[in-house]
Amino acid sequence: MHPIIQIFALKEWDTQSRLLTQGTLSLLIRKGGIMETHDGFEVEHRSFLLYPTFLHQNPVELQSQYQSLLRDDPQPGVIEFPALAEVVAMHKVESLDRALRLEPLQALTGAAIERRFHYRNRPWLHALLLRVRPLLEPLVLPESAGMLGCVSWVPLEDVTVRAGDPVLPEDVLEARRLELEQLLA
């Protein structure tokens, strides 16, 4: 009998998952889902699979240069996990001005950032800089009842994944980290 290994997946819009997996972007702005705890989204895991979701993907909240990436779910009821993400830097941003400075580094519009910042009358959000490593073999799972709902984190039991090299060289990721730090200063 082998031990059960649990990996977590983070639900994120399909468009953003693809931008991260391509290396176009490295930053996610998160606030939390409807079913999140009273305190909202927390960065519970520093390494996780990207879980592309089409639920609540809103074209109005996506910057115009990324609109062409919007698509319908190619396999409803099936999730294809594209990559493993590792948190390189995390910031809880409690200033709207600083949050809006992050618009060029990620896919959401300024209006979407502001809406998320004020969501549930809790003025803050998380900025996560990620190192993304595509999976060497696709992980494709049927969407189970336990995966449904407006939650950020989804536990996946007894799955094995092998990730390849990061999509970005470390010097490029470090430059993005420094730019993030400067914008938040």
Side-chain angles (χ1 to χ4, degrees), residues 158-181:
D158 212 19
V159 298
T160 303
V161 297
R162 290 187 329 119
D165 293 332
V167 293
L168 294 176
E170 284 302 309
D171 61 331
V172 173
L173 190 58
E174 178 62 12
R176 289 183 180 183
R177 188 190 66 76
L178 291 172
E179 184 179 8
L180 172 63
E181 301 284 339

PDB file of all heavy atoms in Angstrom, residues 158-181:
ATOM      1  N   ASP A 158      -4.043  11.518  -4.408  1.00  0.00           N
ATOM      2  CA  ASP A 158      -3.405  10.393  -5.081  1.00  0.00           C
ATOM      3  C   ASP A 158      -3.159  10.641  -6.569  1.00  0.00           C
ATOM      4  O   ASP A 158      -3.406   9.771  -7.403  1.00  0.00           O
ATOM      5  CB  ASP A 158      -4.245   9.126  -4.869  1.00  0.00           C
ATOM      6  CG  ASP A 158      -3.363   7.887  -4.827  1.00  0.00           C
ATOM      7  OD1 ASP A 158      -2.150   8.027  -4.607  1.00  0.00           O
ATOM      8  OD2 ASP A 158      -3.886   6.793  -5.038  1.00  0.00           O
ATOM      9  N   VAL A 159      -2.715  11.839  -6.907  1.00  0.00           N
ATOM     10  CA  VAL A 159      -2.300  12.123  -8.281  1.00  0.00           C
ATOM     11  C   VAL A 159      -0.789  12.314  -8.283  1.00  0.00           C
ATOM     12  O   VAL A 159      -0.203  12.765  -7.296  1.00  0.00           O
ATOM     13  CB  VAL A 159      -2.997  13.366  -8.885  1.00  0.00           C
ATOM     14  CG1 VAL A 159      -4.498  13.158  -8.962  1.00  0.00           C
ATOM     15  CG2 VAL A 159      -2.663  14.623  -8.132  1.00  0.00           C
ATOM     16  N   THR A 160      -0.182  11.950  -9.364  1.00  0.00           N
ATOM     17  CA  THR A 160       1.253  12.122  -9.525  1.00  0.00           C
ATOM     18  C   THR A 160       1.488  13.021 -10.728  1.00  0.00           C
ATOM     19  O   THR A 160       0.887  12.809 -11.785  1.00  0.00           O
ATOM     20  CB  THR A 160       1.940  10.759  -9.766  1.00  0.00           C
ATOM     21  OG1 THR A 160       1.621   9.901  -8.678  1.00  0.00           O
ATOM     22  CG2 THR A 160       3.439  10.912  -9.873  1.00  0.00           C
ATOM     23  N   VAL A 161       2.329  14.020 -10.533  1.00  0.00           N
ATOM     24  CA  VAL A 161       2.649  14.913 -11.646  1.00  0.00           C
ATOM     25  C   VAL A 161       4.163  15.074 -11.745  1.00  0.00           C
ATOM     26  O   VAL A 161       4.882  14.981 -10.737  1.00  0.00           O
ATOM     27  CB  VAL A 161       1.990  16.301 -11.487  1.00  0.00           C
ATOM     28  CG1 VAL A 161       0.474  16.186 -11.511  1.00  0.00           C
ATOM     29  CG2 VAL A 161       2.439  17.007 -10.227  1.00  0.00           C
ATOM     30  N   ARG A 162       4.612  15.292 -12.958  1.00  0.00           N
ATOM     31  CA  ARG A 162       6.011  15.621 -13.199  1.00  0.00           C
ATOM     32  C   ARG A 162       6.026  16.914 -13.996  1.00  0.00           C
ATOM     33  O   ARG A 162       5.413  16.992 -15.066  1.00  0.00           O
ATOM     34  CB  ARG A 162       6.710  14.507 -13.977  1.00  0.00           C
ATOM     35  CG  ARG A 162       6.899  13.246 -13.142  1.00  0.00           C
ATOM     36  CD  ARG A 162       7.728  12.157 -13.806  1.00  0.00           C
ATOM     37  NE  ARG A 162       7.651  12.100 -15.252  1.00  0.00           N
ATOM     38  CZ  ARG A 162       8.689  12.270 -16.082  1.00  0.00           C
ATOM     39  NH1 ARG A 162       9.891  12.494 -15.623  1.00  0.00           N
ATOM     40  NH2 ARG A 162       8.528  12.181 -17.390  1.00  0.00           N
ATOM     41  N   ALA A 163       6.707  17.897 -13.451  1.00  0.00           N
ATOM     42  CA  ALA A 163       6.770  19.198 -14.107  1.00  0.00           C
ATOM     43  C   ALA A 163       8.120  19.376 -14.782  1.00  0.00           C
ATOM     44  O   ALA A 163       9.148  18.908 -14.291  1.00  0.00           O
ATOM     45  CB  ALA A 163       6.535  20.304 -13.088  1.00  0.00           C
ATOM     46  N   GLY A 164       8.086  20.079 -15.893  1.00  0.00           N
ATOM     47  CA  GLY A 164       9.300  20.374 -16.638  1.00  0.00           C
ATOM     48  C   GLY A 164       9.989  21.626 -16.106  1.00  0.00           C
ATOM     49  O   GLY A 164       9.718  22.096 -15.000  1.00  0.00           O
ATOM     50  N   ASP A 165      10.847  22.162 -16.928  1.00  0.00           N
ATOM     51  CA  ASP A 165      11.566  23.378 -16.568  1.00  0.00           C
ATOM     52  C   ASP A 165      10.608  24.560 -16.516  1.00  0.00           C
ATOM     53  O   ASP A 165       9.588  24.575 -17.219  1.00  0.00           O
ATOM     54  CB  ASP A 165      12.661  23.670 -17.607  1.00  0.00           C
ATOM     55  CG  ASP A 165      13.763  22.623 -17.582  1.00  0.00           C
ATOM     56  OD1 ASP A 165      13.995  22.017 -16.513  1.00  0.00           O
ATOM     57  OD2 ASP A 165      14.388  22.407 -18.637  1.00  0.00           O
ATOM     58  N   PRO A 166      10.952  25.582 -15.715  1.00  0.00           N
ATOM     59  CA  PRO A 166      10.116  26.787 -15.677  1.00  0.00           C
ATOM     60  C   PRO A 166       9.994  27.417 -17.070  1.00  0.00           C
ATOM     61  O   PRO A 166      10.931  27.349 -17.876  1.00  0.00           O
ATOM     62  CB  PRO A 166      10.874  27.711 -14.722  1.00  0.00           C
ATOM     63  CG  PRO A 166      11.694  26.797 -13.873  1.00  0.00           C
ATOM     64  CD  PRO A 166      12.074  25.651 -14.773  1.00  0.00           C
ATOM     65  N   VAL A 167       8.837  28.034 -17.320  1.00  0.00           N
ATOM     66  CA  VAL A 167       8.608  28.672 -18.621  1.00  0.00           C
ATOM     67  C   VAL A 167       9.489  29.905 -18.800  1.00  0.00           C
ATOM     68  O   VAL A 167       9.732  30.322 -19.931  1.00  0.00           O
ATOM     69  CB  VAL A 167       7.121  29.039 -18.858  1.00  0.00           C
ATOM     70  CG1 VAL A 167       6.277  27.794 -18.974  1.00  0.00           C
ATOM     71  CG2 VAL A 167       6.587  29.975 -17.798  1.00  0.00           C
ATOM     72  N   LEU A 168       9.948  30.474 -17.709  1.00  0.00           N
ATOM     73  CA  LEU A 168      10.816  31.657 -17.779  1.00  0.00           C
ATOM     74  C   LEU A 168      12.168  31.367 -17.144  1.00  0.00           C
ATOM     75  O   LEU A 168      12.236  30.718 -16.096  1.00  0.00           O
ATOM     76  CB  LEU A 168      10.187  32.830 -17.019  1.00  0.00           C
ATOM     77  CG  LEU A 168       8.907  33.410 -17.582  1.00  0.00           C
ATOM     78  CD1 LEU A 168       8.377  34.491 -16.648  1.00  0.00           C
ATOM     79  CD2 LEU A 168       9.137  33.974 -18.980  1.00  0.00           C
ATOM     80  N   PRO A 169      13.237  31.883 -17.733  1.00  0.00           N
ATOM     81  CA  PRO A 169      14.537  31.791 -17.066  1.00  0.00           C
ATOM     82  C   PRO A 169      14.492  32.556 -15.732  1.00  0.00           C
ATOM     83  O   PRO A 169      13.725  33.517 -15.584  1.00  0.00           O
ATOM     84  CB  PRO A 169      15.503  32.468 -18.046  1.00  0.00           C
ATOM     85  CG  PRO A 169      14.777  32.551 -19.354  1.00  0.00           C
ATOM     86  CD  PRO A 169      13.308  32.547 -19.024  1.00  0.00           C
ATOM     87  N   GLU A 170      15.298  32.130 -14.788  1.00  0.00           N
ATOM     88  CA  GLU A 170      15.285  32.754 -13.456  1.00  0.00           C
ATOM     89  C   GLU A 170      15.589  34.248 -13.497  1.00  0.00           C
ATOM     90  O   GLU A 170      15.028  35.007 -12.715  1.00  0.00           O
ATOM     91  CB  GLU A 170      16.254  32.038 -12.514  1.00  0.00           C
ATOM     92  CG  GLU A 170      15.724  30.705 -12.006  1.00  0.00           C
ATOM     93  CD  GLU A 170      14.387  30.803 -11.269  1.00  0.00           C
ATOM     94  OE1 GLU A 170      14.235  31.637 -10.347  1.00  0.00           O
ATOM     95  OE2 GLU A 170      13.479  30.019 -11.611  1.00  0.00           O
ATOM     96  N   ASP A 171      16.455  34.700 -14.414  1.00  0.00           N
ATOM     97  CA  ASP A 171      16.777  36.134 -14.459  1.00  0.00           C
ATOM     98  C   ASP A 171      15.568  36.962 -14.903  1.00  0.00           C
ATOM     99  O   ASP A 171      15.351  38.075 -14.429  1.00  0.00           O
ATOM    100  CB  ASP A 171      18.009  36.418 -15.332  1.00  0.00           C
ATOM    101  CG  ASP A 171      17.837  35.997 -16.783  1.00  0.00           C
ATOM    102  OD1 ASP A 171      17.085  35.036 -17.061  1.00  0.00           O
ATOM    103  OD2 ASP A 171      18.475  36.630 -17.655  1.00  0.00           O
ATOM    104  N   VAL A 172      14.738  36.418 -15.792  1.00  0.00           N
ATOM    105  CA  VAL A 172      13.527  37.109 -16.232  1.00  0.00           C
ATOM    106  C   VAL A 172      12.516  37.160 -15.080  1.00  0.00           C
ATOM    107  O   VAL A 172      11.914  38.203 -14.817  1.00  0.00           O
ATOM    108  CB  VAL A 172      12.912  36.433 -17.479  1.00  0.00           C
ATOM    109  CG1 VAL A 172      11.568  37.052 -17.840  1.00  0.00           C
ATOM    110  CG2 VAL A 172      13.880  36.507 -18.654  1.00  0.00           C
ATOM    111  N   LEU A 173      12.359  36.052 -14.386  1.00  0.00           N
ATOM    112  CA  LEU A 173      11.448  36.013 -13.244  1.00  0.00           C
ATOM    113  C   LEU A 173      11.923  36.968 -12.150  1.00  0.00           C
ATOM    114  O   LEU A 173      11.114  37.681 -11.537  1.00  0.00           O
ATOM    115  CB  LEU A 173      11.320  34.589 -12.709  1.00  0.00           C
ATOM    116  CG  LEU A 173      10.232  34.356 -11.666  1.00  0.00           C
ATOM    117  CD1 LEU A 173       8.850  34.725 -12.193  1.00  0.00           C
ATOM    118  CD2 LEU A 173      10.250  32.915 -11.204  1.00  0.00           C
ATOM    119  N   GLU A 174      13.225  37.025 -11.927  1.00  0.00           N
ATOM    120  CA  GLU A 174      13.777  37.945 -10.928  1.00  0.00           C
ATOM    121  C   GLU A 174      13.519  39.400 -11.332  1.00  0.00           C
ATOM    122  O   GLU A 174      13.190  40.233 -10.499  1.00  0.00           O
ATOM    123  CB  GLU A 174      15.277  37.692 -10.729  1.00  0.00           C
ATOM    124  CG  GLU A 174      15.945  38.621  -9.754  1.00  0.00           C
ATOM    125  CD  GLU A 174      15.413  38.556  -8.319  1.00  0.00           C
ATOM    126  OE1 GLU A 174      14.665  37.633  -7.966  1.00  0.00           O
ATOM    127  OE2 GLU A 174      15.762  39.469  -7.534  1.00  0.00           O
ATOM    128  N   ALA A 175      13.635  39.706 -12.608  1.00  0.00           N
ATOM    129  CA  ALA A 175      13.345  41.065 -13.081  1.00  0.00           C
ATOM    130  C   ALA A 175      11.875  41.414 -12.837  1.00  0.00           C
ATOM    131  O   ALA A 175      11.554  42.537 -12.437  1.00  0.00           O
ATOM    132  CB  ALA A 175      13.701  41.204 -14.560  1.00  0.00           C
ATOM    133  N   ARG A 176      10.997  40.442 -13.062  1.00  0.00           N
ATOM    134  CA  ARG A 176       9.569  40.676 -12.792  1.00  0.00           C
ATOM    135  C   ARG A 176       9.326  40.860 -11.295  1.00  0.00           C
ATOM    136  O   ARG A 176       8.492  41.667 -10.890  1.00  0.00           O
ATOM    137  CB  ARG A 176       8.726  39.524 -13.350  1.00  0.00           C
ATOM    138  CG  ARG A 176       8.676  39.521 -14.865  1.00  0.00           C
ATOM    139  CD  ARG A 176       7.786  38.428 -15.415  1.00  0.00           C
ATOM    140  NE  ARG A 176       7.771  38.459 -16.872  1.00  0.00           N
ATOM    141  CZ  ARG A 176       7.034  37.648 -17.625  1.00  0.00           C
ATOM    142  NH1 ARG A 176       6.254  36.731 -17.066  1.00  0.00           N
ATOM    143  NH2 ARG A 176       7.071  37.740 -18.942  1.00  0.00           N
ATOM    144  N   ARG A 177      10.049  40.114 -10.462  1.00  0.00           N
ATOM    145  CA  ARG A 177       9.914  40.270  -9.007  1.00  0.00           C
ATOM    146  C   ARG A 177      10.354  41.669  -8.582  1.00  0.00           C
ATOM    147  O   ARG A 177       9.686  42.336  -7.788  1.00  0.00           O
ATOM    148  CB  ARG A 177      10.736  39.213  -8.266  1.00  0.00           C
ATOM    149  CG  ARG A 177      10.472  39.218  -6.747  1.00  0.00           C
ATOM    150  CD  ARG A 177      11.449  38.365  -5.984  1.00  0.00           C
ATOM    151  NE  ARG A 177      12.796  38.880  -6.034  1.00  0.00           N
ATOM    152  CZ  ARG A 177      13.249  39.936  -5.339  1.00  0.00           C
ATOM    153  NH1 ARG A 177      12.442  40.604  -4.539  1.00  0.00           N
ATOM    154  NH2 ARG A 177      14.500  40.327  -5.438  1.00  0.00           N
ATOM    155  N   LEU A 178      11.467  42.147  -9.127  1.00  0.00           N
ATOM    156  CA  LEU A 178      11.966  43.484  -8.791  1.00  0.00           C
ATOM    157  C   LEU A 178      10.992  44.570  -9.251  1.00  0.00           C
ATOM    158  O   LEU A 178      10.757  45.545  -8.527  1.00  0.00           O
ATOM    159  CB  LEU A 178      13.352  43.712  -9.403  1.00  0.00           C
ATOM    160  CG  LEU A 178      14.476  42.892  -8.785  1.00  0.00           C
ATOM    161  CD1 LEU A 178      15.767  43.049  -9.586  1.00  0.00           C
ATOM    162  CD2 LEU A 178      14.694  43.273  -7.322  1.00  0.00           C
ATOM    163  N   GLU A 179      10.416  44.396 -10.434  1.00  0.00           N
ATOM    164  CA  GLU A 179       9.425  45.363 -10.925  1.00  0.00           C
ATOM    165  C   GLU A 179       8.211  45.383 -10.001  1.00  0.00           C
ATOM    166  O   GLU A 179       7.684  46.460  -9.661  1.00  0.00           O
ATOM    167  CB  GLU A 179       9.015  45.004 -12.353  1.00  0.00           C
ATOM    168  CG  GLU A 179       8.066  46.013 -12.967  1.00  0.00           C
ATOM    169  CD  GLU A 179       7.682  45.682 -14.396  1.00  0.00           C
ATOM    170  OE1 GLU A 179       8.022  44.598 -14.896  1.00  0.00           O
ATOM    171  OE2 GLU A 179       7.017  46.531 -15.022  1.00  0.00           O
ATOM    172  N   LEU A 180       7.765  44.226  -9.568  1.00  0.00           N
ATOM    173  CA  LEU A 180       6.642  44.140  -8.629  1.00  0.00           C
ATOM    174  C   LEU A 180       6.977  44.867  -7.335  1.00  0.00           C
ATOM    175  O   LEU A 180       6.167  45.669  -6.841  1.00  0.00           O
ATOM    176  CB  LEU A 180       6.323  42.664  -8.351  1.00  0.00           C
ATOM    177  CG  LEU A 180       5.305  42.364  -7.261  1.00  0.00           C
ATOM    178  CD1 LEU A 180       3.932  42.930  -7.611  1.00  0.00           C
ATOM    179  CD2 LEU A 180       5.217  40.853  -7.025  1.00  0.00           C
ATOM    180  N   GLU A 181       8.170  44.610  -6.782  1.00  0.00           N
ATOM    181  CA  GLU A 181       8.581  45.265  -5.533  1.00  0.00           C
ATOM    182  C   GLU A 181       8.599  46.785  -5.689  1.00  0.00           C
ATOM    183  O   GLU A 181       8.149  47.516  -4.809  1.00  0.00           O
ATOM    184  CB  GLU A 181       9.980  44.788  -5.119  1.00  0.00           C
ATOM    185  CG  GLU A 181      10.109  43.293  -4.909  1.00  0.00           C
ATOM    186  CD  GLU A 181       9.522  42.787  -3.607  1.00  0.00           C
ATOM    187  OE1 GLU A 181       9.356  43.583  -2.669  1.00  0.00           O
ATOM    188  OE2 GLU A 181       9.208  41.586  -3.547  1.00  0.00           O
TER     189      GLU A 181
END
